[in-house]
Coordinates of all heavy atoms in Angstrom, one line a residue:
D169 N -30.4 10.0 6.5 CA -30.2 11.0 5.6 C -30.3 10.3 4.2 O -30.1 9.1 4.0 CB -28.9 11.7 5.7 CG -28.7 12.4 7.0 OD1 -29.7 13.0 7.4 OD2 -27.7 12.2 7.7
P170 N -30.6 11.2 3.1 CA -30.4 10.6 1.8 C -29.1 10.1 1.5 O -28.1 10.6 2.0 CB -30.7 11.8 0.9 CG -31.4 12.8 1.8 CD -30.9 12.6 3.1
P171 N -29.0 8.9 0.7 CA -27.6 8.2 0.6 C -26.5 9.3 0.2 O -26.7 10.1 -0.7 CB -27.9 7.3 -0.7 CG -29.3 7.2 -0.6 CD -30.0 8.3 -0.1
L172 N -25.4 9.0 0.8 CA -24.1 9.6 0.4 C -24.0 11.1 0.5 O -23.0 11.8 0.2 CB -23.7 9.2 -0.9 CG -23.4 7.7 -1.1 CD1 -23.4 7.2 -2.6 CD2 -22.1 7.3 -0.4
R173 N -25.2 11.8 0.8 CA -25.1 13.3 0.8 C -24.1 13.8 1.7 O -23.4 14.8 1.4 CB -26.5 13.9 1.3 CG -27.5 13.8 0.3 CD -27.5 15.1 -0.5 NE -28.6 15.1 -1.7 CZ -29.8 15.6 -1.3 NH1 -30.1 16.1 -0.3 NH2 -30.7 15.4 -2.2
R174 N -24.0 13.3 3.0 CA -23.1 13.9 4.0 C -21.7 13.8 3.4 O -20.9 14.7 3.7 CB -23.2 13.2 5.2 CG -24.1 13.9 6.3 CD -24.4 13.0 7.5 NE -25.0 11.7 7.0 CZ -24.8 10.6 7.7 NH1 -24.1 10.4 8.7 NH2 -25.5 9.5 7.0
V175 N -21.4 12.8 2.8 CA -19.8 12.7 2.4 C -19.6 13.3 1.0 O -18.4 13.8 0.8 CB -19.5 11.3 2.6 CG1 -20.3 10.2 1.9 CG2 -18.0 11.0 2.3
L176 N -20.5 13.1 0.1 CA -20.2 13.5 -1.3 C -20.9 14.7 -1.8 O -20.5 15.3 -2.9 CB -20.5 12.4 -2.3 CG -19.8 11.1 -2.1 CD1 -20.3 10.1 -3.1 CD2 -18.3 11.2 -2.2
G177 N -21.9 15.2 -0.9 CA -22.6 16.3 -1.4 C -23.6 15.9 -2.5 O -23.7 14.9 -2.9
P178 N -24.7 16.9 -2.8 CA -25.8 16.5 -3.6 C -25.5 15.9 -5.0 O -26.2 15.0 -5.4 CB -26.6 17.7 -3.7 CG -25.8 18.8 -3.3 CD -24.7 18.2 -2.5
V179 N -24.5 16.5 -5.7 CA -24.4 16.2 -7.1 C -23.8 14.7 -7.3 O -24.4 13.8 -8.1 CB -23.4 17.2 -7.9 CG1 -23.3 16.8 -9.3 CG2 -24.1 18.6 -7.8
L180 N -22.6 14.5 -6.6 CA -22.2 13.3 -6.8 C -23.0 12.2 -6.1 O -23.1 11.0 -6.6 CB -20.7 13.1 -6.0 CG -19.6 13.8 -6.8 CD1 -18.4 13.8 -5.9 CD2 -19.3 12.9 -8.0
A181 N -23.7 12.5 -5.0 CA -24.6 11.5 -4.3 C -25.6 11.1 -5.4 O -26.0 9.9 -5.5 CB -25.2 12.3 -3.1
E182 N -26.2 12.0 -6.1 CA -27.3 11.8 -7.0 C -26.8 10.9 -8.2 O -27.5 9.9 -8.6 CB -27.7 13.1 -7.6 CG -29.1 13.0 -8.4 CD -30.2 12.3 -7.8 OE1 -30.4 12.6 -6.6 OE2 -30.9 11.6 -8.5
V183 N -25.5 11.1 -8.6 CA -25.0 10.1 -9.7 C -25.0 8.7 -9.2 O -25.6 7.8 -9.9 CB -23.5 10.5 -10.1 CG1 -22.9 9.5 -11.0 CG2 -23.5 12.0 -10.7
I184 N -24.5 8.5 -7.9 CA -24.5 7.1 -7.5 C -25.9 6.5 -7.1 O -26.3 5.4 -7.4 CB -23.5 7.0 -6.3 CG1 -22.1 7.3 -6.7 CG2 -23.5 5.6 -5.6 CD1 -21.0 7.3 -5.7
T185 N -26.6 7.4 -6.5 CA -28.0 7.0 -6.1 C -28.8 6.6 -7.3 O -29.5 5.5 -7.3 CB -28.7 8.3 -5.4 OG1 -27.9 8.6 -4.4 CG2 -30.0 7.9 -4.9
T186 N -28.7 7.3 -8.5 CA -29.4 7.0 -9.7 C -29.0 5.5 -10.1 O -29.8 4.7 -10.5 CB -29.1 7.9 -10.8 OG1 -29.5 9.3 -10.3 CG2 -29.8 7.7 -12.0
A187 N -27.6 5.3 -10.0 CA -27.1 4.0 -10.5 C -27.5 2.9 -9.6 O -27.9 1.9 -10.1 CB -25.5 4.1 -10.4
A188 N -27.7 3.2 -8.4 CA -28.1 2.3 -7.4 C -29.5 1.8 -7.7 O -29.8 0.6 -7.7 CB -28.0 2.8 -5.9
R189 N -30.3 2.9 -7.9 CA -31.8 2.5 -8.3 C -31.9 1.7 -9.5 O -32.6 0.8 -9.6 CB -32.6 3.8 -8.5 CG -32.9 4.5 -7.1 CD -34.2 5.3 -7.1 NE -34.3 6.0 -5.9 CZ -33.9 7.2 -5.6 NH1 -33.2 7.9 -6.3 NH2 -34.1 7.6 -4.3

Side-chain angles (χ1 to χ4, degrees):
D169 298 316
L172 296 167
R173 280 271 180 97
R174 259 170 304 149
V175 56
L176 296 182
V179 177
L180 280 173
E182 187 56 34
V183 171
I184 298 185
T185 304
T186 302
R189 287 208 179 88

